[in-house]
Amino acid sequence: MDLRWEEHGWERLGPGVGRRRLPGWDATVGLVVGERGALLYDTGSTLREGAELRAGTRALLGGRRVTHVALSHPHFDHVLGAAAFSGVAVYGAVGLAELLAGDGAGAAGSLYEEAVREGVAEAEAAEAVDLLVRPGHAVCGELTVDLGGGRRVLLANVGPGHTAHDLALLVPGSGEGAGTAPGTPAVLFCGDLVEESGEPQAGPDAVPARWPAALDRLLALGGGDGTVYVPGHGAAVDAAFVRAQRDALAARFGGSGAPS
């Protein structure tokens, strides 16, 4: 499908692969399109933002709908728009559904407090948390999702690091089963394990000592210097940037993981 990404406010990263940097917190959402399905990686910070993404993706796809959603990690600016995508298959790292099912003193309450603290209106934050979507598909290790037409993507539980539930999305480049033309680079959506527009943020749910090892897993998953790495915030980067961030995190927090 020849999609007109830029006309709809998206950045094209490869054939059938794009992303959008949302206003406010510069959070990335990714979109991967196959012949039978379309997978959205993250959903924005409010139901309003999720609804705008739903309408925008439908316009981009010529009336087709998103069929799969993957949530990179449980922070408000990445998950609170998910309820706008009713009836889709929702994926998250193993344990994320149980975390989000906690009572008001648990994850849902924390998401509300985080959203309001960062500037989301109280009513919008409360509405999104009330309708909070829990993943119905848990990813333990790696899981392949077939979107049709040879387009298969890989969801990988690569954390803990930024949180205890970090999920990456690999769109393979050229090669058998990739559904792409020769010379097409792989694209790896990293969530907030990698940040370009600022220093990586280690909140109370981060596991800093394990973060360098999570970046080692991302680099291994990318499999080469030609891969496009897409941070949770900021411009797309290369493997050298991820290696440098890995080394900076190791120096800052210590922790395990062989140098890349």
Side-chain angles (χ1 to χ4, degrees):
M1 178 181 290
D2 183 17
L3 301 175
R4 297 183 177 183
W5 295 96
E6 288 75 13
E7 290 182 13
H8 293 271
W10 292 71
E11 175 187 354
R12 183 185 184 276
L13 300 172
V17 186
R19 67 90 170 252
R20 186 173 175 186
R21 294 167 67 171
L22 299 177
W25 298 275
D26 192 27
T28 280
V29 294
L31 183 65
V32 187
V33 183
E35 287 186 359
R36 295 193 307 273
L39 185 148
L40 187 71
Y41 182 76
D42 284 342
T43 60
S45 59
T46 63
L47 283 175
R48 174 176 49 81
E49 199 162 59
E52 290 171 355
L53 284 168
R54 182 189 64 210
T57 53
R58 192 170 183 184
L60 171 66
L61 298 175
R64 294 174 56 190
R65 299 175 183 268
V66 166
T67 54
H68 302 70
V69 162
L71 301 176
S72 66
H73 65 285
H75 285 168
F76 84 98
D77 48 336
H78 299 267
V79 305
L80 286 186
F85 296 89
S86 60
V88 309
V90 180
Y91 297 80
V94 66
L96 179 60
E98 291 76 11
L99 177 74
L100 296 180
D103 60 24
S110 297
L111 284 169
Y112 171 81
E113 293 170 2
E114 180 188 20
V116 171
R117 184 172 62 249
E118 294 294 333
V120 175
E122 291 183 5
E124 278 198 297
E127 179 186 33
V129 168
D130 284 345
L131 297 174
L132 190 62
V133 168
R134 287 103 182 158
H137 302 270
V139 181
C140 180
E142 298 178 355
L143 177 69
T144 298
V145 178
D146 188 349
L147 299 175
R151 173 50 58 86
R152 296 179 178 86
V153 299
L154 182 71
L155 296 172
N157 183 352
V158 294
H162 178 66
T163 71
H165 306 89
D166 293 313
L167 188 71
L169 167 64
L170 175 67
V171 186
S174 304
E176 185 177 355
T180 57
T184 302
V187 178
L188 182 53
F189 291 92
C190 305
D192 285 4
L193 284 167
V194 178
E195 295 197 39
E196 185 275 336
S197 56
E199 290 295 318
Q201 300 300 304
D205 57 347
V207 188
R210 302 283 295 278
W211 201 331
L215 293 185
D216 286 334
R217 287 191 284 276
L218 279 180
L219 288 162
L221 194 62
D225 287 341
T227 296
V228 177
Y229 291 83
V230 185
H233 302 264
V237 299
D238 59 13
F241 181 97
V242 179
R243 291 189 192 102
Q245 197 154 94
R246 181 251 180 240
D247 293 343
L249 286 166
R252 178 180 173 190
F253 297 120
S256 59
S260 329

